[in-house]
Amino acid sequence: MKRFFLFTLCLSALFSCCPCAMNGPKVVAHRGFWKCEAGAKNSIASLNNAAKIKAWGSEFDVWISGDDSLVVTHDSKHHGLPVKSTSLADLRQHKLDNGETLSSMDQYLQQALEWPELHLVFEIKTPSVTDSLYEARMVPACAEIVKKYGVEKRTTFIAFSLSACEAIARMMPECNVQYLNGDLSPKEVFERGISGIDYHYEVLKQHPEWVKEAQELGMTVNCWTVNSATDIEEMIALGVDQITTDEPTLAQKIVKKSR
Ligand code: MG
């Protein structure tokens, strides 16, 4: 009985310092799982592929077009056209690498409804120089579309823009929000009402203490874009909650082995 009590005590101590100690970090496919046949970054095919390999989450990048449509694409320009000032119809004239038409956010979330287990890691893309008029169009549109499809509970918003993170956290208190930029301590992020960090793995290597600091504040810790076995192992050892990677099947194997 005494031994059992000690065992239980040790387990609870382990979980109190690292909630992911038993199962290891959750794997997020960066821009979907696109490194396979007919895959392309931010395509519907790569969203489906992420779900099929049972990744915990699938990350995707979202801009708002000149006619206020949310579109799934990474760069500020699509085939040379500035996304934020070009209509959705004009953007869709140029296909993705796998032949798919650029997805509107409506199409993307309609497809995501087919995969209810898949967590959605929704990057709110913003211009590199802060553009408050753009953010005033973008952030409420991101909140509305997540509400429209009722996927609040399985959505994490991520953004490099601190003001976009603060705004979406105010609008969507039921969603996790992770700040990407890596220049603030977890406490500084927490004080701004933001519930998580998603930092480059080199930042977490330089500040390993930030993982525990964040988790003790009840925040989640994600990291990007962790592709080599060595770096994946190092992030597991640090105790992060999520790993975002272009190599989700490799990460899944390493996480499984680490349990
Ligand atoms: Mg992204």
Side-chain angles (χ1 to χ4, degrees), residues 5-204:
F5 176 72
L6 276 174
F7 176 69
T8 312
L9 197 69
C10 287
L11 266 188
S12 60
L14 183 68
F15 282 113
S16 68
C17 53
C18 179
C20 57
M22 182 68 94
N23 291 318
K26 291 160 177 156
V27 173
V28 178
H30 182 235
R31 305 182 199 168
F33 180 33
W34 52 271
K35 279 193 173 183
C36 52
E37 208 185 324
K41 294 172 185 174
N42 286 314
S43 64
I44 295 277
S46 57
L47 173 76
N48 290 338
N49 290 337
K52 285 176 191 164
I53 61 163
K54 299 196 184 307
W56 173 78
S58 192
E59 188 261 3
F60 49 93
D61 304 292
V62 182
W63 285 87
I64 195 162
S65 67
D67 55 350
D68 286 341
S69 295
L70 293 173
V71 284
V72 186
T73 189
H74 181 266
D75 295 339
S76 60
K77 289 187 176 177
H78 178 64
H79 288 262
L81 300 168
V83 178
K84 68 173 187 169
S85 56
T86 304
S87 71
L88 178 64
D90 286 346
L91 292 167
R92 286 165 66 96
Q93 298 296 317
H94 305 275
K95 298 205 183 275
L96 303 182
D97 293 344
N98 65 349
E100 265 183 42
T101 302
L102 192 74
S103 283
S104 68
M105 202 57 226
D106 274 302
Q107 290 172 306
Y108 203 82
L109 288 182
Q110 270 161 16
Q111 185 60 31
L113 293 180
E114 300 291 318
W115 306 107
E117 302 295 315
L118 187 67
H119 201 87
L120 305 170
V121 181
F122 183 136
E123 181 169 351
I124 301 174
K125 299 300 284 187
T126 55
S128 48
V129 177
T130 304
D131 180 340
S132 47
L133 284 177
Y134 172 88
E135 287 191 13
R137 281 202 292 140
M138 176 69 176
V139 179
C142 294
E144 281 312 308
I145 202 146
V146 165
K147 282 185 203 160
K148 178 179 169 184
Y149 287 91
V151 290
E152 296 94 325
K153 287 195 169 58
R154 60 179 177 121
T155 297
T156 292
F157 286 105
I158 59 174
F160 281 95
S161 160
L162 189 57
S163 51
C165 284
E166 290 174 303
I168 198 75
R170 278 194 303 272
M171 285 176 207
M172 301 290 279
E174 62 275 66
C175 292
N176 190 15
V177 178
Q178 294 172 335
Y179 176 56
L180 287 166
N181 208 36
D183 57 332
L184 297 175
S185 72
K187 187 168 175 283
E188 290 170 310
V189 175
F190 183 76
E191 284 169 353
R192 287 164 169 82
I194 299 162
S195 54
I197 54 171
D198 181 0
Y199 284 175
H200 190 274
Y201 61 91
E202 290 293 352
V203 172
L204 294 182

